[in-house]
Amino acid sequence: MVIGSKTMAFVEEEALLGQDSEEENSELSDDELQEAFAAGLLKPGMNVLVDKPKKLVNNVEGLKQCLADFRKDLPWVERLDLTNLPAANIISQAEEKASAPAAGELDADDDFQREMFFYRQAQATILEAMPLLNRHSIATKRPEDYFAEMAKSDQHMQKIRKKLISKQMIMERSEKAKKLREQRKFGKKVQIEVIQKRQQEKKAMMSAVKKYQKGMTDKLEFLEGDQKMNKESSQGSKKAVNKKGPSAKRKYKDQKFGFGGKKSGKKWNTKESYNDVSGFRAKIAHGKGGKKGKGGKQNKRPGKSVRKKMKNRS
Amino acid sequence: PTGKWTNKERVLIFSSRGINFRTRHLMQDLRTMMPHAKADTKMDRKDKLFVINEVCEIKNCNKCLYFEAKKKQDLYMWISNSPHGPSAKFLVQNIHTLAELKLTGNCLKGSRPLLSFDPKFDKEPHYALLKELFIQTFSTPRYHPKSQPFVDHVFTFTIADNRIWFRNYQIIEEDGSLVEIGPRFVLNLMKIFQGSFGGPTLYENPDFRSPNMHRREMRLAAAAKVREKQMVKEMQKGKKTSAKEDLESDVTADVFLTPAEEKPADIQTEAPEPKVVKKKQKAFKRQRMQMLSLHRNQYST
């Protein structure tokens, strides 16, 4: 405990600051205070106890001495230590941002910046160390046939790989879902636009026709104009569509079920069709087939008049 | 390429009782990373710390990493050069072990590490001493029987926010592409002693706040918040219930008031007559239309 003597004005400030050391006055007896006063240590006025400021040890000399004693002078090859600032930040250079704060202002709370700082520090070390290691002929690359125990087991590395792959899959799936949703919205938009365009065209056509009928215009160009435009546009669009042609699904179905394509011209009486006797069944032609042995249609549908009668009856 | 193993460094890595799984894994990871490390059984916390020096001597180790767990929450790490010192005590935070799936790198077991230090280590005497201590402890001696001759990973020690951050990266390409292997932790320096686990204090960290104090401060802050809220509530209540002050009456307020004229009060003793409602005769629609057309014909002709 240290007794600090102060004048009256100061004392009030101290009291306001709430020094609770005044209670410790009771530990000092009156006799001791009187003696101290007589000895000239205390001055008149209010005396307030003040805590000694906490002294933190920073024995610089001691530290240096200790370091000197403790230091081992080993060749660099034994220690492999390097001290360096982080390597240049390529990303920030490329973006020409205001350069990242110097080491002194590294913000420990900005996780990404902090980790990038550590990463770059390690990078700089490696870049500096490679030539040194080569000089001392210490290898850094493991040869392909060198099998040795790794710090993490193979099983563990597989787990890590699986986790990474699953993360990628999840991301891809979510991307796909997003795209589909966007496509659907877009498709709907396009559909609405097409319908509206058609309606507008129809309206224009009808109004043009009406005008002609009422005798306001005697030009029939609107007909041709429309046709021309339609032909071009349809051809144009058909050209674009026909590039892809029928889809693979369509082609497969055509191939399998076979009736797609041009119908007109299929049933002509050509030389080939006349000579084609593949549809000839001898038994049926000579009347010996007999409707699949008379097990074919047992429920033959009655005719129209019969059906009417049945209906009227019930 | 074999050579003589001359740099006889051995590190004893062990802990006190009461550690949790994360600390145990961290210790195991450090032993994996450092082939010149030895393990020992858990020490009872009742024994004084200088007993550790004897343990080191028995095991023929000249460095020691001792993990002390308190309250099952706080982890302290002692790093020391036994038997003559110096030693340092740290609070360990943010531990991530080798087993975490986000740390995807791998390295040979027992390969020698490169050590990378922040230039700030050279600026202060206490950091310079710590740097020397780290170098001697963490670097694997050359030609150690359990070591691999390749250098394929790098330890980084960086100073940020008055703490020392430790990271371990795998070197993939010689141009500097890295992947983190782990483990990773943060060291908060408390004190540096001249001797091993004792002796005069050489340095005390002014920015260090013990975890207990930290927790206490959080609790006090929360309590202060609650108390403030309560006070505000009470003040509001008081305002509502306290009598409102009467406004001073303004003498000139009534100057321009003119009272309204009195109307004679008209009291009706008899009820008013009921109104006669005439019902409109509307013809049916057809008839109406016929009338309309009749009208039109009349006017058109």
Side-chain angles (χ1 to χ4, degrees):
Chain A
M1 261 190 330
V2 174
I3 304 173
S5 54
K6 309 226 188 273
T7 55
M8 289 289 270
F10 266 59
V11 157
E12 272 154 26
E13 269 185 43
E14 292 283 3
L16 283 171
L17 286 169
Q19 294 263 355
D20 59 351
S21 47
E22 290 160 6
E23 279 113 53
E24 289 160 312
N25 258 327
S26 52
E27 291 182 23
L28 277 177
S29 66
D30 288 337
D31 291 337
E32 284 176 17
L33 285 172
Q34 280 177 342
E35 280 171 29
F37 185 63
L41 290 169
L42 290 180
K43 291 189 189 150
M46 269 284 266
N47 287 311
V48 172
L49 289 169
V50 165
D51 278 334
K52 200 177 178 176
K54 206 174 170 204
K55 237 191 175 183
L56 288 163
V57 183
N58 187 357
N59 188 353
V60 178
E61 281 308 313
L63 285 167
K64 290 191 180 159
Q65 181 65 41
C66 195
L67 179 57
D69 291 336
F70 168 60
R71 172 183 290 239
K72 261 204 258 185
D73 280 320
L74 293 168
W76 181 83
V77 205
E78 282 291 338
R79 297 191 334 236
L80 296 178
D81 72 311
L82 282 157
T83 308
N84 43 29
L85 278 170
N89 193 346
I90 307 170
I91 302 169
S92 74
Q93 271 178 3
E95 293 178 2
E96 292 183 11
K97 269 192 221 167
S99 69
E105 301 129 38
L106 175 64
D107 180 16
D109 290 326
D110 184 359
D111 292 341
F112 184 67
Q113 197 196 61
R114 189 190 66 217
E115 296 298 324
M116 281 312 290
F117 188 88
F118 300 154
Y119 187 92
R120 284 182 291 126
Q121 189 187 314
Q123 264 191 333
T125 303
I126 293 172
L127 292 172
E128 224 182 286
M130 280 302 151
L132 286 171
L133 286 172
N134 286 332
R135 229 182 294 155
H136 293 281
S137 58
I138 298 178
T140 50
K141 272 208 157 141
R142 185 162 58 108
E144 300 298 322
D145 53 356
Y146 189 94
F147 291 115
E149 197 182 348
M150 306 288 277
K152 294 187 191 173
S153 67
D154 285 339
Q155 210 185 29
H156 190 261
M157 296 309 285
Q158 274 196 357
K159 237 201 265 179
I160 292 177
R161 220 167 289 146
K162 263 192 223 167
K163 189 122 196 273
L164 281 174
I165 289 173
S166 76
K167 264 197 201 168
Q168 253 194 329
M169 297 280 292
I170 290 170
M171 254 182 56
E172 271 176 31
R173 242 178 270 160
S174 70
E175 283 292 320
K176 258 195 215 172
K178 265 190 213 167
K179 270 194 190 162
L180 258 176
R181 259 179 274 146
E182 285 298 317
Q183 260 190 359
R184 253 184 255 155
K185 282 189 190 165
F186 184 70
K188 190 74 180 172
K189 247 201 257 172
V190 167
Q191 192 187 38
I192 292 173
E193 273 178 20
V194 165
I195 290 172
Q196 280 184 340
K197 194 176 158 201
R198 272 192 220 147
Q199 282 177 342
Q200 279 173 353
E201 275 181 17
K202 186 175 173 188
K203 201 168 153 194
M205 185 63 153
M206 292 306 294
S207 61
V209 167
K210 274 197 185 158
K211 276 189 188 170
Y212 178 74
Q213 280 180 339
K214 290 198 179 167
M216 290 202 249
T217 51
D218 51 354
K219 296 180 198 165
L220 285 171
E221 282 171 3
F222 60 86
L223 275 175
E224 288 164 37
D226 262 352
Q227 279 178 3
K228 266 193 204 162
M229 274 176 56
N230 264 344
K231 265 194 193 164
E232 281 177 14
S233 68
S234 67
Q235 270 182 1
S237 61
K238 268 187 189 167
K239 270 188 205 161
V241 168
N242 266 335
K243 256 193 201 172
K244 296 170 189 172
S247 69
K249 188 176 171 185
R250 184 75 262 154
K251 279 190 203 157
Y252 172 73
K253 289 213 172 168
D254 286 353
Q255 193 195 48
K256 191 172 182 191
F257 303 109
F259 293 125
K262 270 184 159 176
K263 284 220 168 123
S264 58
K266 263 261 161 125
K267 294 199 174 173
W268 285 351
N269 240 345
T270 57
K271 191 185 193 180
E272 292 88 0
S273 73
Y274 189 79
N275 289 336
D276 181 24
V277 288
S278 57
F280 178 74
R281 303 270 172 261
K283 276 195 179 167
I284 296 171
H286 298 309
K288 285 172 191 171
K291 289 177 197 170
K292 296 179 188 172
K294 288 189 182 161
K297 248 192 189 178
Q298 285 183 341
N299 303 358
K300 214 185 170 187
R301 191 162 170 255
K304 183 164 182 176
S305 49
V306 178
R307 272 184 282 139
K308 246 191 181 172
K309 281 187 198 157
M310 283 167 64
K311 196 170 128 189
N312 285 338
R313 224 186 285 155
S314 63
Chain B
T2 46
K4 287 286 291 183
W5 171 34
T6 48
N7 180 14
K8 304 281 169 102
E9 285 287 349
R10 288 184 200 86
V11 182
L12 181 65
I13 304 184
F14 72 122
S15 73
S16 71
R17 303 184 76 226
I19 53 173
N20 64 358
F21 68 97
R22 214 184 289 274
T23 316
R24 203 167 15 93
H25 279 279
L26 176 64
M27 276 204 316
Q28 278 175 5
D29 296 342
L30 285 174
R31 282 184 212 139
T32 314
M33 285 287 135
M34 295 160 49
H36 57 292
K38 284 194 188 167
D40 197 25
T41 53
K42 289 184 194 162
M43 191 186 86
D44 223 2
R45 260 188 279 122
K46 281 183 256 159
D47 304 330
K48 304 286 178 183
L49 284 173
F50 58 74
V51 171
I52 300 180
N53 291 320
E54 293 175 8
V55 178
C56 284
E57 213 188 300
I58 294 171
K59 285 264 170 168
N60 194 15
C61 291
N62 58 358
K63 294 281 184 304
C64 177
L65 278 176
Y66 174 62
F67 290 93
E68 195 180 347
K70 288 228 171 108
K71 278 191 170 185
K72 294 192 186 172
Q73 279 174 332
D74 314 318
L75 179 67
Y76 298 98
M77 184 179 98
W78 288 87
I79 179 170
S80 140
N81 174 36
S82 158
H84 306 296
S87 54
K89 185 175 181 187
F90 299 93
L91 174 69
V92 189
Q93 293 167 315
N94 290 10
I95 300 174
H96 293 261
T97 58
L98 272 181
E100 300 216 350
L101 291 176
K102 294 214 174 149
L103 302 171
T104 49
N106 200 356
C107 68
L108 284 170
K109 186 169 180 179
S111 61
R112 300 183 63 209
L114 275 173
L115 300 172
S116 165
F117 289 94
D118 198 352
K120 281 196 215 169
F121 273 100
D122 293 331
K123 299 215 176 118
E124 308 267 325
H126 57 273
Y127 281 140
L129 183 59
L130 283 179
K131 179 179 167 183
E132 187 64 28
L133 203 50
F134 287 146
I135 293 175
Q136 290 190 16
T137 310
F138 286 102
S139 59
T140 305
R142 204 179 182 193
Y143 307 128
H144 190 282
K146 285 195 206 156
S147 71
Q148 307 277 6
F150 304 103
V151 173
D152 62 356
H153 64 294
V154 52
F155 290 163
T156 54
F157 298 86
T158 322
I159 298 179
D161 191 26
N162 282 312
R163 283 166 239 252
I164 301 175
W165 300 71
F166 173 88
R167 295 282 182 276
N168 178 14
Y169 295 100
Q170 175 194 7
I171 304 170
I172 301 182
E173 284 297 319
E174 304 213 347
D175 66 353
S177 51
L178 307 166
V179 179
E180 194 164 347
I181 311 170
R184 50 150 85 168
F185 49 86
V186 178
L187 298 173
N188 201 348
L189 174 64
M190 287 170 69
K191 284 190 181 181
I192 304 184
F193 302 98
Q194 195 180 352
S196 168
F197 294 99
T201 310
L202 287 175
Y203 179 78
E204 218 177 303
N205 186 3
D207 301 316
F208 178 76
R209 263 169 35 250
S210 87
N212 268 333
M213 294 300 295
H214 183 74
R215 283 188 283 263
R216 183 163 180 265
E217 276 171 28
M218 305 287 273
R219 252 183 296 133
L220 286 176
K225 254 196 202 171
V226 171
R227 245 180 281 140
E228 243 194 78
K229 273 190 190 168
Q230 276 182 343
M231 264 174 61
V232 167
K233 266 192 195 169
E234 276 172 31
M235 269 174 63
Q236 283 182 342
K237 260 193 198 170
K239 270 190 194 169
K240 274 188 196 168
T241 53
S242 69
K244 288 192 184 146
E245 287 178 15
D246 292 326
L247 290 167
E248 288 176 10
S249 50
D250 193 4
V251 181
T252 55
D254 296 335
V255 169
F256 291 108
L257 273 181
T258 41
E261 281 178 16
E262 274 193 31
K263 282 187 187 164
D266 189 16
I267 303 170
Q268 291 185 330
T269 46
E270 293 164 7
E273 290 172 15
K275 274 192 195 164
V276 179
V277 179
K278 275 190 245 162
K279 206 177 176 182
K280 265 199 241 173
Q281 286 285 349
K282 224 182 174 184
F284 289 118
K285 185 164 181 173
R286 201 181 282 169
Q287 290 175 338
R288 270 186 275 149
M289 297 300 279
Q290 281 176 353
M291 280 168 60
L292 261 175
S293 59
L294 265 174
H295 249 265
R296 273 213 197 114
N297 286 342
Q298 275 182 355
Y299 285 115
S300 61
T301 48

